[in-house]
Amino acid sequence: EAERLEAERLATLSAEEAKQEALASLTAADTVELIDAALAKADAAGVAADDEARATASNKRAELVAEQARVDALKALEAACATEDLAAIDAALLHCAEVGLPDDADGTKTAAARREEVVLKLAEEKRVGAVAALEAAADVEAIDAALLSCTEAGVAEDHEAVVAATEKRAALVEADAEAAEDAAEPEGEEAAAPA
């Protein structure tokens, strides 16, 4: 009986030592991996789920995971800003907001400025392309389509190319009307002759 009691006492001491060691590991852990290992050790040692050290370690783990998510989001944002892909920049900015980065954080402010640069550059490219298409337009239909593209791109109505194309369109419409009138006159004269 004494041996059995001694064995139980040693087992209890061993279990208590294991709990103490697990609690010490929980307190010392400072990375996600170490916290995960310490939580597993705490489970194996029978540390209660509501133990303060366990809760503190779990909260610390959540903070570390969130901080890593913010770091990763900033890296992705930086990579997106190295491109002129507006959709990628917008997606990266959205992800930054989702992981809790404020709009006024250094990386997000820089990205917002870069986004504005890209928007302006893309708008200018769209205007240049619309003006080039307008200058190349040869008929009324092409001019109309190019004028619409210029309007959508924000090209001013008094832009030199728009004015020239509008005048060219008017001349083409007038020429088409005269041609149609000339084509209609011979028929009208032939019809008048037999009377």
Side-chain angles (χ1 to χ4, degrees):
E1 178 69 28
E3 287 179 16
R4 184 183 61 77
L5 289 174
E6 181 62 19
E8 285 177 9
R9 187 183 73 76
L10 289 175
T12 302
L13 279 176
S14 179
E16 189 57 36
E17 287 174 354
K19 280 184 182 180
Q20 291 305 316
E21 188 177 312
L23 289 171
S25 294
L26 284 171
T27 304
D30 58 357
T31 66
V32 171
E33 295 78 15
L34 290 177
I35 293 171
D36 287 345
L39 287 169
K41 194 176 200 180
D43 286 341
V47 175
D50 62 351
D51 186 272
E52 187 177 328
R54 186 183 191 108
T56 300
S58 293
N59 289 339
K60 187 175 191 177
R61 183 188 189 285
E63 289 171 12
L64 289 169
V65 168
E67 180 58 29
Q68 187 60 50
R70 288 188 290 273
V71 168
D72 292 345
L74 282 173
K75 286 180 184 176
L77 183 59
E78 186 177 327
C81 286
T83 71
E84 290 185 353
D85 184 346
L86 194 56
I89 294 170
D90 286 343
L93 280 167
L94 177 63
H95 184 63
C96 284
E98 289 170 350
V99 298
L101 280 167
D103 290 342
D104 62 350
D106 285 343
T108 53
K109 283 195 307 193
T110 302
R114 173 66 177 148
R115 182 190 187 286
E116 187 61 27
E117 287 173 14
V118 171
V119 165
L120 293 174
K121 182 175 184 198
L122 293 175
E124 181 59 23
E125 288 174 359
K126 187 175 181 180
R127 283 190 292 277
V128 168
V131 168
L134 184 59
E135 290 171 341
D139 58 34
V140 173
E141 188 175 298
I143 292 171
D144 286 345
L147 284 169
L148 179 61
S149 293
C150 283
T151 300
E152 291 170 351
V155 177
E157 289 181 21
D158 62 349
H159 187 281
E160 178 182 319
V162 173
V163 171
T166 304
E167 291 171 357
K168 180 178 179 181
R169 182 189 185 286
L172 288 170
V173 167
E174 185 177 325
D176 286 348
E178 287 175 7
E181 191 176 292
D182 289 345
E185 280 181 12
E187 291 176 17
E189 288 176 8
E190 290 172 10

